Amino acid sequence: MNTSMTVEQRKLLDLHLQLILEVNKTTNLTRITDWDQGQLLHVEDSLFGLSALLKAPEGRYADLGTGGGFPGIPLAIMSGRQTLLVDSVKKKITALESVIHQLGLQDQISTYAGRIEDLSLQQPESLSVITARALSSLPSLLELASPLLQYGGHLICYKSNPDQDELDTAKNISHKLGMEYSYHYEGYLSDNTTHRMIIVYTKVSEPEVALPRRVGMAQKKPFKS
Ligand code: SAH
């Protein structure tokens, strides 16, 4: 995985993790406090989705529910895409803004402090590609992403071991939300035990329901059929 990484990119990836572990002492961004665990479960895991991001149509990228900027910041560093980091917790976004400045990436990466549902009302169909890790179930992710994506845009979902039920429900409701399953890949991180799956959906049509629904509904009462 490291073969096509420049020295500058490696430095930025390391600095991002270092800054997050530092900030984490005062602002709760992640449960991980250890450098090696952070390299594996944050940096390397984030980059597991890089090939999917590189395949997505050109244009603006957003990481929804970004927390400490994972996978958004590593993917921005590796892809050079214009990137928007979204989180509803204001103090997380304030901490991330400082991190982005210290990385010198303020021209490439911007932030939105607010709910994903509100962003989609303000900037509908404005994105070519979205990622989400540890945010919600697949049905909720499909619903949250759909109104933000341009036609042909990709939703890249990071999952560890989705159960068959979650995959089936996502399949059953995707059409209603204007989304369609495109492809997935899976594998293990370098510890050979952490299993990861990347599942990609494409925005293909107008949703059959008005989106976004009221704030909170997508995550509290996701569509089941
Ligand atoms: N993606 C990060 C963080 C996951 S925790 C990682 O994998 O490490 C989920 C994050 O999503 C939290 O920071 C939470 O504040 C944010 N979040 C949850 N629902 C949201 C919503 N509807 N709109 C915006 N942010 C949301």
Side-chain angles (χ1 to χ4, degrees):
M1 175 185 300
N2 289 342
T3 48
S4 57
M5 193 181 280
T6 66
V7 172
E8 180 62 15
Q9 285 168 330
R10 182 73 260 170
K11 271 193 202 151
L12 287 172
L13 294 170
D14 287 350
L15 183 55
H16 170 217
L17 179 61
Q18 187 190 319
L19 292 169
I20 291 300
L21 294 180
E22 192 57 41
V23 173
N24 204 44
K25 292 175 185 163
T26 50
T27 306
N28 184 26
L29 292 170
T30 170
R31 273 178 288 122
I32 293 168
T33 52
D34 172 80
W35 177 259
D36 291 338
Q37 285 288 300
Q39 281 291 355
L40 180 74
L41 298 175
H42 280 325
V43 183
E44 189 186 330
D45 190 34
S46 292
L47 297 182
F48 198 68
L50 178 61
S51 66
L53 187 85
L54 295 176
K55 270 195 224 126
E58 290 284 302
R60 202 157 161 254
Y61 156 54
D63 185 32
L64 304 183
T66 195
F70 299 105
I73 292 181
L75 291 180
I77 289 168
M78 294 306 295
S79 70
R81 281 204 194 231
Q82 281 302 314
T83 298
L84 178 67
L85 304 179
V86 180
D87 206 288
S88 53
V89 178
K90 175 78 182 149
K91 70 172 172 27
K92 292 189 182 180
I93 291 292
T94 304
L96 275 184
E97 274 175 353
S98 159
V99 168
I100 293 164
H101 268 86
Q102 291 177 77
L103 293 169
L105 294 176
Q106 61 278 4
D107 293 339
Q108 186 196 343
I109 305 179
S110 54
T111 61
Y112 179 86
R115 303 275 315 192
I116 297 155
E117 297 92 321
D118 292 323
L119 176 68
S120 69
L121 289 172
Q122 290 161 24
Q123 303 181 28
E125 298 180 9
S126 61
L127 299 165
S128 301
V129 53
I130 286 173
T131 55
R133 187 184 83 152
L135 172 62
S136 279
S137 67
L138 293 170
S140 303
L141 295 181
L142 287 165
E143 178 173 349
L144 290 169
S146 176
L148 282 164
L149 284 171
Q150 298 165 354
Y151 290 105
H154 287 188
L155 165 65
I156 300 170
C157 306
Y158 283 68
K159 286 279 157 183
S160 37
N161 282 304
D163 57 39
Q164 198 54 44
D165 216 36
E166 182 178 354
L167 292 165
D168 290 345
T169 306
K171 190 170 176 219
N172 293 339
I173 61 152
S174 55
H175 184 71
K176 177 194 197 121
L177 301 171
M179 302 288 291
E180 191 176 270
Y181 165 83
S182 289
Y183 67 94
H184 77 273
Y185 58 91
E186 57 191 305
Y188 290 90
L189 301 186
S190 63
D191 64 348
N192 291 324
T193 50
T194 310
H195 181 259
R196 284 294 177 259
M197 187 185 259
I198 297 288
I199 312 171
V200 182
Y201 299 86
T202 304
K203 169 86 173 275
V204 289
S205 57
E206 188 68 25
E208 290 167 10
V209 286
L211 297 179
R213 288 191 286 158
R214 197 154 45 77
V215 162
M217 293 293 278
Q219 285 154 290
K220 272 187 239 141
K221 290 195 182 306
F223 291 115
K224 291 195 164 68
S225 60

